[in-house]
Structure formats: C-alpha cells, structure tokens
Amino acid sequence: MALTNVWAPHWDARLNAMYIFDSLAEVQLSSFIFPPIPSSDPDLSSATLISEMATFYDCANPHISGSSNFGAIYGSWNQHIVNISPAPIVSPLPTGGCTISSCPDLRLISLLAEPLHTLLVPVTDAAHDRDRKKCPPDSCCAAGTRARLIKLITSKVDNPLSPRRIIWLHGYVGCGKSAIVQTLCDHYAREKRLAGSFVFFRQSGDRSKIEKLATTLAYQLAEAIPITEQRIREAVTKRPTIVNSTTSLEVQFQQLIFHPLLSAFPPATDLNRSGDFSPYLIVIDGLDGCIDHDGIALFLDLILNFFRAHPHIPIRLLIASRIEEHIRTHLQGEEVQTHDVGKFDADEDIRRFLKLELDQLAGHDRVLQAYMRSKSMKEWPSAAELNDLVSRSNKSFLLASMILSN
C-alpha cells in the first residue's frame, strides 16, 4: 500500500503532521511523500491531514518505521520521504475505517495536532504584552527615566558568565517597580530574548494564584525558544492532566519548564561555553500579589535548585515584589542579586516624568494655553512650581501620577 501526493498548503500543517507521525505514528506506510506545495491546492489543517491519512490506511494500532526525523523537517522542505511497509490491523475497525472520533489512539494524535495554546490554556492577561488599560498595572518608564537602574539590570542579565541567575527588585508601593519591569520586558522582547513573563495582581482571578504560572510560562517559552516546544508538547500529550491544578507545581515545572530547557541546552556545547552568548530573561512581576504563599515558597525553591544544579542554562529570572517574609526567606544565596528600588534617588526621574507630562498637557489644552497667554508665561509650570511638585511626590512615582490626575 502506498500513499502519495498528500498535500498540505501550509508549512505549519506539514511540520505538525510529520512530527506527529514521527512521534506517535499510528500507521506503517509505504512511500509516504510530501511533494512541493502547489498554490492551487485547498487549505488543509494538520488535524484534517492526519485524519484523512488515518482513514485512508484503515488501521487502528500501527507502528512507524523508517527514516522520519523531526529535526529533518528543518532541512529539506520540498520533499520528505518515509519508507514504511503495510501494518496488520490489530483491532476490529468500524465500517469505513478508523477516524479520530472513533479511535482512542487517533484522538491522542489529534491532541498532538492541537495548538499549544489550547493544550496549555495559559493566562493571556498576565503577560507583558497584555492590554494594560484593561489589565493593570498600566505602567512603563517615561523616556529617559530610570536609565541608571535599567542599565545596571541589563548588564547583569546580559553577562553569560555571571553567577547571579536571579535578580530581585524590591521596594515600597509606588516606587516604580512595575514600570521598570515593563520597560525591561519591552527591551528583551525587541531583542527576541524574553522567554516568559507573568504579572501577578491581587484579586484578579488566575493572576492572583500560582496554579497557572507553569503552563503560562511554558506556552511563552515554546514561542520564544521553539526547540523547547517538542518536549512541552510531549509532556502534555503523555499526561493531559498535567495542566490541571490537581498536578503538583513541582511536576509542572519539571515537565513543562526544566526538562524542555535541559533538552534545548545540553551542558557540554560550544554554544553554552561561549562568552558571546546572551541569556534569555523570564520576568515575574508583583510576586507579592499571589495569594498562595506556600506555592510561592515552593516555586522559588524549585528555581534556585534548578539554577544550582544546571548553571549552564542561559536563563535569567527577574522578580519584582514588595519585601514579604515568605519571599525574602527564599531568595537567599549567591545566585540572587537584590536591588532596593527605593534607594535609587528618584527625584530627577520624577522631575523629568512630570515635565514630560505637563509639557504634553500644555501643548494640547486650550484653556491652559489661554491662561499662559493671559499671564505672559513662556513656560508652565515654573521651575519653582515644578520643584514643589517633585517635593510633594516624596520620591514616589505613584504620588506623582496622582498629582497629575488631579
């Protein structure tokens, strides 16, 4: 039996189908060929292609043999041939062949063809690129502000030889932690080195719990470092319940985060020894906003132990939170670099922030413009008035923002 001229107009469909039949093949085929894609062919999804192939071969429990290899997909895309032979039918089949709906084995293959988003169900409003107007906090550093602190943090993250794997930003409410974190997320996203982000927020459903942290980071990790997706997808297909809250946080992180990273970055490679290789960054903001204190403690212990056991992994973790005992006691050791945001003099940054916002207001508000003309004012506010506003802000960007809103 031979199947030829199986067309998949989209590369993603072809890649997924090849991976699925390479990993959990249900059929032994003969001369299974992916020829060049003609532009006139109809749109076929991976699931459709897999279903049709399975029905065509009328087989419920086959086994693949041959030269198929997931890595080969990245090589020759124009044609990929798998040499296989017909397989015996192990179990009775319904009339018309075995389809995804009637065959448990094919349902497993169908699961492999599902988008990773559907399998992991990440918290989409917890990432750095969420709509911050609808999903607070809505903060980002104004142009030119916090430059010294941001430069210090990026120098730590970008150093592949630094033993400091975790950077902890802490400080009082309103000192600007979230704005700094958002600015850093935007920077590393542009650099294609943001491996994941999760912004906790009090009384915000899944964003105030730790239950979805591993699955959300795993989804982002697969997108940022595509080589990790195979192991993440395997973990979910072998154990679909791993995404549920009934699975321990340790198992979730081991299977969805740590094992995929170890597979992607084995210890003895030229890449990992290179001093020119820049690490990826994972960002956790508002950790104190998570109501699961025991879960936070376990998460921090897991991360620290992973970094200690595998120092070659090119990942850095940035955490921002207030100082709380269940966090502080677990962020100890030479792997952790701490920065008290409140100790960085914010007056000049607040002055720059207020000046930028007030200049923008003066440029658009007609009432204010009329007032300035009536008083023959060349600038507003005056230097003395701006100094007073900075003083009233008391080194807090939150207070400065409240002053502007009033």
Side-chain angles (χ1 to χ4, degrees):
M1 182 183 296
L3 174 63
T4 60
N5 297 326
V6 176
W7 302 97
H10 297 298
W11 292 119
D12 287 345
R14 179 180 292 190
L15 186 153
N16 288 341
M18 280 307 306
Y19 166 57
I20 290 161
F21 273 85
D22 190 34
S23 301
L24 283 174
E26 294 291 315
V27 192
Q28 285 191 344
L29 312 176
S30 175
S31 298
F32 177 33
I33 302 176
F34 279 123
I37 298 175
S39 59
S40 59
D41 273 8
D43 184 4
L44 289 176
S45 68
S46 297
T48 302
L49 182 61
I50 292 164
S51 177
E52 291 184 358
M53 291 167 66
T55 303
F56 182 91
Y57 278 95
D58 201 37
C59 187
N61 192 18
H63 172 71
I64 198 164
S65 64
S67 61
S68 173
N69 186 282
F70 181 75
I73 321 174
Y74 294 100
S76 174
W77 284 95
N78 286 335
Q79 190 173 56
H80 192 78
I81 302 176
V82 185
N83 296 315
I84 11 193
S85 57
I89 297 177
V90 178
S91 57
L93 297 171
T95 302
C98 181
T99 65
I100 288 180
S101 61
S102 64
C103 177
D105 290 335
L106 287 180
R107 281 198 294 273
L108 184 58
I109 289 189
S110 178
L111 190 63
L112 268 173
E114 288 285 349
L116 200 58
H117 183 280
T118 304
L119 296 178
L120 293 173
V121 195
V123 183
T124 55
D125 63 349
H128 84 284
D129 56 356
R130 69 196 183 281
D131 184 344
R132 302 200 305 270
K133 298 295 183 185
K134 298 177 181 178
C135 308
D138 179 17
S139 55
C140 190
C141 293
T145 63
R146 296 302 202 184
R148 187 166 68 93
L149 180 53
I150 289 173
K151 183 178 180 180
L152 176 63
I153 294 171
T154 55
S155 69
K156 302 294 184 183
V157 173
D158 294 343
N159 182 1
L161 303 178
S162 173
R164 307 287 191 175
R165 308 290 172 173
I166 299 176
I167 300 170
W168 179 29
L169 290 182
H170 58 80
Y172 54 84
V173 176
C175 67
K177 300 184 298 295
S178 291
I180 295 168
V181 166
Q182 182 65 44
T183 302
L184 287 165
C185 283
D186 292 340
H187 168 75
Y188 283 99
R190 289 191 298 270
E191 295 283 322
K192 308 296 184 185
R193 290 195 288 127
L194 183 65
S197 59
F198 196 104
V199 181
F200 286 99
F201 202 73
R202 297 175 190 274
Q203 299 179 340
S204 296
D206 288 333
R207 291 182 61 195
S208 61
K209 305 172 186 176
I210 206 163
E211 295 171 356
K212 290 285 190 178
L213 178 61
T215 55
T216 301
L217 291 181
Y219 173 71
Q220 297 174 16
L221 184 67
E223 184 178 10
I225 309 176
I227 196 174
T228 63
E229 180 175 350
Q230 181 181 1
R231 291 298 298 270
I232 294 170
R233 192 175 283 275
E234 286 174 357
V236 181
T237 52
K238 288 178 180 177
R239 183 179 178 178
T241 58
I242 197 171
V243 303
N244 298 343
S245 60
T246 52
T247 301
S248 73
L249 189 68
E250 181 174 3
V251 169
Q252 288 183 334
F253 266 89
Q254 291 290 349
Q255 297 296 321
L256 299 176
I257 305 293
F258 299 155
H259 289 175
L261 283 174
L262 288 170
S263 179
F265 302 104
T269 67
D270 292 337
L271 182 63
N272 292 332
R273 287 197 297 264
S274 173
D276 296 330
F277 185 68
S278 297
Y280 291 85
L281 180 67
I282 294 176
V283 175
I284 308 294
D285 187 25
L287 188 58
D288 54 287
C290 178
I291 60 176
D292 187 356
H293 291 190
D294 291 338
I296 289 175
L298 176 59
F299 159 66
L300 295 175
D301 288 344
L302 290 171
I303 289 290
L304 272 170
N305 290 336
F306 177 72
F307 282 140
R308 287 166 180 163
H310 309 286
H312 70 280
I313 296 293
I315 295 287
R316 302 293 179 265
L317 176 64
L318 174 65
I319 295 173
S321 74
R322 285 181 278 183
I323 296 181
E324 294 191 3
E325 198 65 12
H326 66 283
I327 297 175
R328 185 193 65 79
T329 55
H330 291 270
L331 284 175
Q332 306 287 332
E334 62 180 12
E335 297 84 7
V336 182
Q337 175 84 53
T338 63
H339 295 289
D340 185 349
V341 178
K343 289 186 177 180
F344 286 79
D345 189 359
D347 282 350
E348 286 305 313
D349 286 333
I350 289 176
R351 186 189 310 278
R352 185 177 289 108
F353 165 67
L354 289 171
K355 188 72 168 65
L356 287 171
E357 293 294 317
L358 293 173
D359 283 349
Q360 186 177 20
L361 179 63
H364 293 86
D365 192 301
R366 292 187 177 184
V367 174
L368 180 56
Q369 291 169 358
Y371 171 77
M372 292 174 64
R373 286 194 298 270
S374 69
K375 299 295 185 179
S376 300
M377 298 173 64
K378 294 184 178 180
E379 67 173 3
W380 178 87
S382 66
E385 290 171 329
L386 186 59
N387 287 338
D388 183 56
L389 291 176
V390 171
S391 178
R392 291 175 183 272
S393 298
N394 195 28
K395 303 184 183 300
S396 169
F397 278 88
L398 178 62
L399 289 177
S401 298
M402 293 174 65
I403 290 172
L404 290 174
S405 65
N406 292 327

